[in-house]
Amino acid sequence: MRSALSEYGYLSAKLKTRTSTLLDDDIILKLARARTVQEAFISLRGTAYEDLERVYAATGDLKAVEAELFAREAGAYSELLPRLEGPTRAFIAALARRPELDAVKDALRLWFDSHVRGRHIGDRTGYRFAGRVVDRLDFDAIVNAASPAELALAFRGSAYGSIVAKHAQDTARLASLYALESALDAFYFSNLESSLAGLRPADRRLARRFVAFDADIQNLNSLVRSRLAAGPAADQLKRQLIAFPGAVKTDALENALASDKPLDRASAMFHGSIRGLEAFWARADSRGRLGGLERFVRQAKTDEARALKGKNPFSIGVILSYLELRCDELRRLRSALNAAHYGLPEDRARSVI
Amino acid sequence: MMFTVRMRLLDAAVPSSLAKATADELVRTGCLEAISFRQPDDTPSGRLSSVERDPSLERVRDARRRVEGLMSLAEPPLSRPLDSDFHGGPFDLAAVESRVDAMASDIQAIRDKQKETQDKILRLDEIARQLERGAALGDAARRGLSRPEERSFLLIRAGSVPASEAERLDKALAAFPSVLAPLGGADGRGVSEDGRFHCLVAALRRDETRVDSALRRSDWTDEASDARGNAAEALKEVADKRSRLALELEERRRDVGRLIRDKASELGGLWVELRGAELSQRLRSSFSHTDSTTLLSGWLPAKDSRRAEDAIRTATGGRCHIEWTEASEAAAAGLVPPSAMRNPDILRPFQTLVSNFGVPAYGTVDPTPLVAAAYLIMFGLMFGDAGHGAVLAVAGLLGRLRARKHGKPDTLFTLIWYCGLAAIAAGILFGSYFGMGLLKPLWFDYHGVVAGHARGGTVSSIYDILGITIKFGIVVLGTGLVLNWINLVRQRRWVDLFFDKAGLAGGMVYGAGAWASFWFVASSYKTLPPADILLLVLGLPTVLLAFKAPLERLEHKARGAGGGKLTAGTVMSWIMEWLVSVLEVYSGYLANTLSFMRVAGLGIAHVSLMSAFFQIAGMVNPGGGFSVTAILILVAGNVLVIALEGLSAGIQALRLNYYEFFSKFFNGSGRAYSPISFRSAD
C-alpha cells in the first residue's frame, strides 16, 4: 500500500487550492438579496460560476443552468477518480455513485413517465445528464427503452444491471418506481459499506462517519415523508430505512415512527451525536422542526467537512471535505437561483440557502 | 512627481442644517479624505456627538449595485457617468427602487421569452434525436404511418393536403414544435400532378390534438410512405427550423442589451443619484456635531484646498469657519498624513507596480518615473528583439482596446504594450528581428557576440555584456542610495543619513568597493588600488557605521524618549549591530550588484534559444532554404520564446526593482490617500 503522503500529497494541495475558490458568505448573501434570476447571476461575476450567466443569457433557461450545475457536481467526483488508486479509489468511486444514481433515477423517471404513464416528456429530455461518472451509461437508451426488457438491456454491464433486471417488469406492472429506487438506494449504501473495508483504519473511521451522515439524512427524509403517508406506504417507508454502522439505529427510528411524536423521538436520537441539535430543537416550532431536522443534520455534515480542512492533509479527510463543501455550495447555489426565480423575499431566501 | 503630493488638513465648522449640503458639495469635489474630528482638549466631554448612521444606507448601496448590474448588461457595458452630474438634493429611495424593479422586470420578461424559444429548440432537438435513432420512423413505417406509435412520444404522419392548403397547414403547425417536410412531387417541393401537397409531419405526442386539428382543417389524407427514406428530409427541416429559432433566440438575447442602451440615460441618472447619496452619507458618518454646529475634518492635496473651501462656502452661503493645517504641523501633532502619488497617465502602469509593493511614506520620493525607466531598460536588455517586441506591442494594444471596450482595467495590457516598445527599441540597437539580423545593429550584434563571431566594436564578448549589466546595476543601486539620502534629508534623520548602511557611510563603502573592483579588473586581475587610499575610502566609512547605534541612543535621550541604562550588554549589542551592518554592506551590496547579471543571463538565453531553433530548422533542410516544416519550427520557436522569455523578463525586471532597487530607499509604510469620490472603491 502506498504511504499516505504519496497517496494524498498532490491531491491534498490541489484540493486545498480548489477549496479556496469556494464562494464567500457575502456572495451567498448577495444571492439571497437578488430580486431576479438575472441579478443573481450578476452577483456571481468574478467567481468560479460566472460563466453560468452566459448559459442563462443565451437561453433564459434556469433548468439549463441547473443541468450545468449538476454536471459540475458529477464532475467534482469523476475528475478525482483517475488520480486515485486502490481502496481509496474504490471508496470514492462508491461515493461518486450518488450523483450517478441521481442521473439514473432522473432517466428512469423520464422512461417511467413516457412508457408506463404515457406522459409526454419532450420538454424535459433536453436537460438530462449525458456524461459519465463511474459506469458508462447510455441515458438516451434508458429513456427510450421500448419495454422493461429493453430497459434492463440498457443497464447491462453497469453496477445497476442486476437490480434493474430484477425490478423492471414489476415497475411497469405495478406502475410504481418505488421498489426500484429503494433497491438502488440500498445498493448505494451496501456498496459504500463494502468499499470501506479496504481503507486504512483512520481513513475508514472518517469515511464511515461521513457516510453515516448520509444514511441519517436519507432515513430522516423517509421519516418525514412517512408523516404524510399512511397504511402500506408507511410500511414501505419502514423498509426503506438504511441500516448503516455509525448511523442512528434503524429499529430505534422505526419505533420513533410508530410513536405519537415521531419527530421528537427522532430528534432525541440525534441529540447525542450532533452538537447543537438540542438547542435548535428547543428553539424551533413544530413546522420549523419538520423541515429543519434534515437540514440540521446536513449542516452538521458540512460543518464537519469545514473543520476537516485544517486537519491532517494526508488523509481521506481532505477529499471528503472538498466533495462535501463543493456539493453543499452547488446545492446552495441551486436553492438561491430558485429562490430568485420564485421571487422569495430575502429572509425566506436566506433560510433556504 | 518627484515626491508624494503635498497635503493639507482641513477643519471646518458648518451649521448642522447645512451639513448634508456641505457633504454633497464635497462629494462633488471628490478630494477629501475624511477623518474623525479631533475633539480639542478643552472641550467639555459629551459636547460632541457623532452623526448617526443612516439606516437606509444599505438599501441605497443595494440599489446602486443593482443599477450597476443592469448597466453591465449592455454590450459593451455602459460606462459610469461623471461626478459632475451629481447635484445632491432631495432623494426618494423608494421611487428609485421601484424604477430599478421595473427595469429588472422588463429584462426578466425578455428572459422568459427566450425561455419559450429555448423550449421550442429543445423539443425540436428531441424530435431530431428520435428521427436520428430511426426507431420511431421504423415503427411508423411498419404501421404505414397512419397511427402514431403508442410508446413513442414522437408523432409522425405522412399524407397530403390540397396544394392551396399547404400554406395554411404550415402556419398552423408553426404554433408548436413540429416539422413539415415535403415528400417527392414533380418539382421536388411535394406538389404532385393531381394538385396535392405531399408531406411528412413530425411533432411531439403532447401536441397530438393540435396536430389532428391542423390536419383536419387542411383536408388531410394519410398516405403510406417510405418513412426511413424521408428521414433525411425531416431532419433537414428540423435543422432549418432550429437555426431560425436559434437566430430568434440570439435576437432576444440582444434585446436585453438594446433595452439597457435605451435606458442608458435613466440608468446613468439613477446611478449618480444613488452613488452620490451613498458617498455623502459615508462622508457625513465621519462628522461630529453639537446642537447646532457640525464639525468636519479631512486630508486633501494642497492644490485642491481652494476648490474644497469654495465648495463649503457655496453649500453654506458663507456661514462656516474653515481652518487649514500643513501636513508637517499635523504630523508633529501625531497625525499621519496620507500619501498620494501623482504621475502623468503614461506612467500609470508603473505607479501600479510601485503601489503593489507598498505606499511610500508621506513626503518621501515617489519612484514611479525611475521605476518606469529602470523596468523598461531591463526588459529591453533581456528581451531585445524588434520582431518579438512588435508582437508584444500589438498584443498589449489589442488587449488594452478590448479591456477598455468591456470597461475592465487595462493596466497590465498597457504595461505589455510598453514592454513591447522597449523590446523593439532594444532589438533595433542589437539588430535582432525575430532572431534574424535583418538590419545592421545600432549598438552591437547580440547574436554575433553570443555565437562568438562578433567583429570589433566596444562589445565583442559575453564578458562585455555581463560588464554592461553590472555597470547598469551599479547605476540603479547608486540611484537608490541617492534617493535614500534625499528621503533622509527631508525627514531630518541625520544619524541615518551619515551612519546608516544605506546612508552616506554605506554609500561610500559601495562606491569605493565598485571603484576598487574596476581597478582590479583593469589591471587584469593583478593589483588592487594603493592600500592607504583603500584604507581611507573603505576603512573610514566602515568605522563610521559603528557610530550609528550610540548616536541613535543619544538622539533618543535628547528627545526625552529614554533609552535605558548603559550596560555592557548594550555596548555588546552595538558591536553586534555594527558587525551585521558591515557584513550586510560588503556581502549584501556585492550580491545586489551581481544580481543584475541575470539581465545579461536572460538576454543571452533569449538569443541562444532563437539560435537553437534556427539550427533545428536548418537540420530539417540540410541543403539550405526553407521548407514548410522548417517554417513551422521557427514559428513555434518564436511563439515559445515570446511566451517564456517575455514572462521571465517581465518577472525578473520586477524582481530587480523590488528587491535590489527599492530595498535601498523605499519606505512602504505610507498610508494611501483615499478621498471620498465617485472614483473611490466600493
Side-chain angles (χ1 to χ4, degrees):
Chain A
M1 187 185 263
R2 291 167 70 194
S3 70
L5 182 65
S6 69
E7 184 166 18
Y8 297 118
Y10 174 72
L11 207 58
S12 172
K14 197 175 176 66
L15 295 184
K16 288 219 168 196
T17 311
R18 292 213 181 159
T19 307
S20 69
T21 66
L22 292 170
L23 294 180
D24 293 336
D25 281 347
D26 63 326
I27 301 276
I28 300 289
L29 278 180
K30 279 186 192 171
L31 281 171
R33 281 186 194 155
R35 314 265 173 97
T36 63
V37 180
Q38 181 61 64
E39 288 185 354
F41 282 115
I42 289 170
S43 312
L44 289 173
R45 286 181 187 167
T47 72
Y49 297 100
E50 70 178 354
D51 51 336
L52 293 177
E53 186 182 358
R54 223 172 301 135
V55 177
Y56 183 69
T59 61
D61 190 352
L62 189 55
K63 281 187 186 169
V65 175
E66 286 185 283
E68 170 64 25
L69 288 174
F70 179 77
R72 287 190 190 201
E73 185 177 341
Y77 288 89
S78 60
E79 69 182 355
L80 290 179
L81 295 178
R83 302 182 189 283
L84 295 167
E85 293 174 8
T88 313
R89 187 189 188 286
F91 173 72
I92 298 298
L95 213 54
R97 292 206 183 272
R98 182 77 270 168
E100 185 175 79
L101 258 181
D102 288 342
V104 164
K105 284 182 185 174
D106 185 47
L108 282 173
R109 283 169 200 158
L110 284 172
W111 172 82
F112 183 76
D113 280 351
S114 165
H115 297 269
V116 178
R117 289 185 172 162
R119 290 182 186 165
H120 305 292
I121 57 165
D123 52 346
R124 288 159 54 198
T125 51
Y127 306 108
R128 71 168 178 267
F129 181 67
R132 179 183 180 183
V133 188
V134 185
D135 287 342
R136 197 178 295 283
L137 292 163
D138 184 350
F139 290 102
D140 220 21
I142 296 170
V143 175
N144 293 298
S147 64
E150 261 189 42
L151 182 70
L153 208 60
F155 279 98
R156 201 168 63 176
S158 76
Y160 315 105
S162 58
I163 301 169
V164 176
K166 185 179 169 192
H167 291 274
Q169 293 291 352
D170 283 350
T171 299
R173 188 171 55 82
L174 301 171
S176 167
L177 268 174
Y178 185 81
L180 177 54
E181 288 195 352
S182 299
L184 289 171
D185 285 334
F187 161 75
Y188 170 71
F189 282 101
S190 68
N191 187 41
L192 269 173
E193 194 176 346
S194 55
S195 70
L196 278 168
L199 294 176
R200 293 181 184 85
D203 281 353
R204 197 185 311 138
R205 272 195 301 279
L206 210 54
R208 191 184 295 284
R209 175 138 177 86
F210 265 76
V211 180
F213 270 124
D214 285 340
D216 285 339
I217 290 166
Q218 176 117 351
N219 288 340
L220 276 170
N221 197 11
S222 302
L223 188 66
V224 171
R225 279 163 62 197
S226 78
R227 297 261 299 170
L228 307 170
D235 289 341
Q236 275 187 333
L237 283 162
K238 267 189 202 175
R239 284 198 297 277
Q240 202 186 354
L241 292 175
I242 304 290
F244 191 84
V248 171
K249 297 275 179 275
T250 52
D251 53 351
L253 272 172
E254 280 187 48
N255 289 337
L257 195 72
S259 75
D260 293 339
K261 293 184 173 179
L263 279 171
D264 285 350
R265 291 279 304 274
S267 80
M269 291 168 211
F270 287 98
H271 282 175
S273 55
I274 296 176
R275 213 180 319 153
L277 181 59
E278 199 160 3
F280 160 77
W281 205 251
R283 263 198 332 268
D285 58 17
S286 61
R287 197 176 156 192
R289 288 172 179 182
L290 192 69
L293 186 56
E294 183 198 325
R295 216 166 45 235
F296 199 93
V297 180
R298 200 182 286 283
Q299 183 59 46
K301 186 184 175 196
T302 309
D303 289 346
E304 189 135 328
R306 207 164 278 136
L308 267 181
K309 271 200 303 181
K311 292 187 178 167
N312 181 9
F314 308 116
S315 79
I316 203 166
V318 72
I319 303 176
L320 295 172
S321 167
Y322 167 71
L323 287 174
E324 170 58 24
L325 294 175
R326 178 64 74 198
C327 293
D328 178 63
E329 177 179 88
L330 289 163
R331 201 160 41 229
R332 294 172 83 187
L333 201 49
R334 266 192 295 267
S335 304
L337 292 173
N338 277 294
H341 179 66
Y342 292 110
L344 294 191
E346 185 183 338
D347 52 342
R348 281 286 312 281
R350 285 169 76 157
S351 72
V352 296
I353 298 170
Chain B
M1 199 165 101
M2 180 69 189
F3 302 101
T4 60
V5 174
R6 188 163 73 90
M7 292 281 169
R8 294 180 85 188
L9 181 66
L10 163 76
D11 288 305
V14 300
S16 288
S17 58
L18 297 171
K20 183 183 176 307
T22 306
D24 288 348
E25 279 298 323
L26 285 171
V27 164
R28 269 166 55 78
T29 64
C31 60
L32 186 74
E33 181 191 293
I35 59 173
S36 299
F37 189 83
R38 299 154 332 283
Q39 187 160 335
D41 296 337
D42 54 353
T43 309
S45 61
R47 290 288 302 278
L48 285 181
S49 324
S50 298
V51 171
E52 281 176 19
R53 190 182 167 83
D54 186 343
S56 69
L57 185 60
E58 272 303 305
R59 277 175 61 201
V60 172
R61 189 175 295 145
D62 270 355
R64 190 254 305 165
R65 284 181 181 150
R66 290 182 70 197
V67 171
E68 284 173 4
L70 293 173
M71 289 164 80
S72 70
L73 293 174
E75 290 174 351
L78 299 181
S79 51
R80 292 172 192 175
L82 297 172
D83 43 8
S84 55
D85 296 336
F86 176 58
H87 301 293
F91 175 65
D92 183 352
L93 181 56
V96 170
E97 283 174 332
S98 73
R99 280 155 75 192
V100 176
D101 282 342
M103 276 187 243
S105 298
D106 289 348
I107 287 167
Q108 206 54 53
I110 295 174
R111 296 288 185 228
D112 291 344
K113 280 184 188 165
Q114 276 181 278
K115 169 83 170 81
E116 284 170 21
T117 310
Q118 174 68 6
D119 282 347
K120 287 180 191 170
I121 289 177
L122 288 176
R123 286 174 201 167
L124 279 180
D125 286 346
E126 189 55 33
I127 291 173
R129 263 201 297 277
Q130 293 297 320
L131 285 167
E132 277 167 352
R133 286 179 78 85
L137 273 179
D139 288 346
R142 273 201 308 280
R143 291 159 191 274
L145 287 171
S146 55
R147 283 185 298 133
E149 206 282 321
E150 284 173 3
R151 291 193 177 277
S152 171
F153 44 88
L154 190 65
L155 167 74
I156 298 179
R157 305 275 293 267
S160 65
V161 294
S164 56
E165 288 292 318
E167 197 180 334
R168 182 171 156 174
L169 178 62
D170 191 29
K171 276 187 183 166
L173 292 174
F176 47 91
S178 59
V179 176
L180 177 69
L183 293 176
D187 57 354
R189 292 180 182 176
V191 182
S192 59
E193 286 174 357
D194 59 359
R196 288 191 72 82
F197 173 66
H198 302 266
C199 58
L200 181 81
V201 173
L204 292 168
R205 278 200 59 200
R206 62 180 296 167
D207 298 317
E208 188 172 358
T209 323
R210 297 164 85 179
V211 172
D212 277 345
S213 158
L215 295 182
R216 252 198 324 275
R217 279 202 303 274
S218 304
D219 193 15
W220 173 269
T221 308
D222 278 328
E223 293 170 355
S225 172
D226 174 14
R228 198 176 291 275
N230 290 313
E233 286 289 325
L235 275 171
K236 186 175 170 297
E237 184 64 24
V238 170
D240 287 349
K241 204 162 186 177
R242 195 191 190 287
S243 54
R244 280 198 298 276
L245 285 171
L247 282 177
E248 185 184 318
L249 195 61
E250 175 60 14
E251 205 48 37
R252 288 191 169 163
R253 187 186 71 76
R254 288 188 183 164
D255 282 348
V256 171
R258 278 193 280 266
L259 177 78
I260 297 297
R261 284 253 152 244
D262 291 346
K263 307 254 181 195
S265 134
E266 186 180 359
L267 279 166
L270 288 177
W271 186 82
V272 168
E273 251 182 294
L274 291 163
R275 185 65 175 151
E278 188 186 342
L279 293 172
S280 175
Q281 171 59 28
R282 199 197 295 175
L283 187 56
R284 272 179 283 149
S285 67
S286 66
F287 290 1
S288 299
H289 67 89
T290 61
D291 293 342
S292 58
T293 307
T294 292
L295 303 159
L296 63 109
S297 194
W299 292 102
L300 70 168
K303 72 171 190 51
D304 292 327
S305 314
R306 168 59 69 88
R307 215 150 53 90
E309 190 164 333
D310 287 350
I312 297 171
R313 292 197 188 286
T314 306
T316 58
R319 293 165 59 205
C320 59
H321 174 75
I322 294 172
E323 276 183 14
W324 291 102
T325 311
E326 291 301 324
S328 51
E329 291 171 45
L335 291 175
V336 183
S339 302
M341 293 182 278
R342 187 160 287 159
N343 290 290
D345 273 354
I346 197 169
L347 294 181
R348 201 160 35 89
F350 302 102
Q351 187 171 306
T352 307
L353 290 185
V354 173
S355 51
N356 278 348
F357 186 82
V359 178
Y362 178 76
T364 61
V365 171
D366 167 9
T368 303
L370 295 166
V371 167
Y375 189 91
L376 292 177
I377 291 172
M378 288 176 205
F379 190 88
L381 287 173
M382 288 186 269
F383 197 81
D385 186 295
H388 294 169
V391 173
L392 271 194
V394 170
L397 211 52
L398 290 176
R400 196 163 174 247
L401 289 173
R402 191 179 149 78
R404 287 193 171 183
K405 187 180 167 192
H406 292 91
K408 293 191 172 164
D410 63 354
T411 311
L412 178 65
F413 295 112
T414 310
L415 187 62
I416 292 173
W417 179 39
Y418 289 168
C419 286
L421 296 179
I424 292 174
I428 293 170
L429 289 175
F430 302 145
S432 179
Y433 302 84
F434 291 111
M436 295 177 281
L438 298 180
L439 296 171
K440 202 173 169 219
L442 294 183
W443 186 9
F444 66 89
D445 177 6
Y446 213 131
H447 284 262
V449 170
V450 173
H453 54 65
R455 297 275 179 277
T458 51
V459 182
S460 57
S461 74
I462 285 177
Y463 292 107
D464 292 334
I465 297 175
L466 289 170
I468 290 170
T469 55
I470 286 177
K471 284 173 194 156
F472 175 65
I474 290 170
V475 171
V476 170
L477 294 180
T479 309
L481 287 171
V482 172
L483 294 181
N484 190 47
W485 302 337
I486 295 171
N487 282 343
L488 293 173
V489 169
R490 285 175 67 86
Q491 293 170 329
R492 298 172 193 280
R493 289 163 56 191
W494 307 116
V495 173
D496 284 339
L497 175 66
F498 288 103
F499 302 101
D500 187 64
K501 61 180 185 291
L504 289 170
M508 200 168 159
V509 171
Y510 184 56
W515 168 71
S517 304
F518 282 114
W519 178 295
F520 185 61
V521 172
S523 69
S524 303
Y525 309 97
K526 284 178 185 156
T527 57
L528 284 167
D532 49 348
I533 299 180
L534 214 52
L535 195 67
L536 181 72
V537 294
L538 280 177
L540 177 66
T542 304
V543 172
L544 284 177
L545 292 171
F547 288 90
K548 189 191 168 199
L551 286 171
E552 271 180 347
R553 181 186 159 85
L554 285 177
E555 200 183 28
H556 275 116
K557 277 201 151 181
R559 281 210 309 262
K565 200 177 164 189
L566 185 64
T567 61
T570 315
V571 175
M572 274 306 291
S573 79
W574 290 348
I575 294 171
M576 287 307 294
E577 208 174 302
W578 175 62
L579 288 175
V580 169
S581 286
V582 170
L583 201 67
E584 272 188 53
V585 168
Y586 281 86
S587 66
Y589 282 3
L590 178 66
N592 289 156
T593 309
L594 294 182
S595 187
F596 279 84
M597 284 166 65
R598 75 187 65 228
V599 175
L602 277 170
I604 293 166
H606 189 121
V607 170
S608 303
L609 273 172
M610 282 316 300
S611 301
F613 281 111
F614 273 103
Q615 281 176 17
I616 295 168
M619 286 175 201
V620 176
N621 283 63
F626 286 106
S627 64
V628 174
T629 318
I631 290 171
L632 284 177
I633 288 170
L634 286 179
V635 170
N638 274 284
V639 170
L640 192 76
V641 169
I642 290 171
L644 282 181
E645 290 288 311
L647 195 64
S648 301
I651 292 169
Q652 293 302 335
L654 193 63
R655 183 227 176 277
L656 286 170
N657 269 290
Y658 279 177
Y659 299 110
E660 316 300 350
F661 183 41
F662 279 18
S663 62
K664 298 292 162 289
F665 70 95
F666 193 81
N667 179 350
S669 62
R671 183 173 62 79
Y673 163 65
S674 65
I676 292 183
S677 85
F678 275 77
R679 286 176 183 79
S680 51
D682 198 356

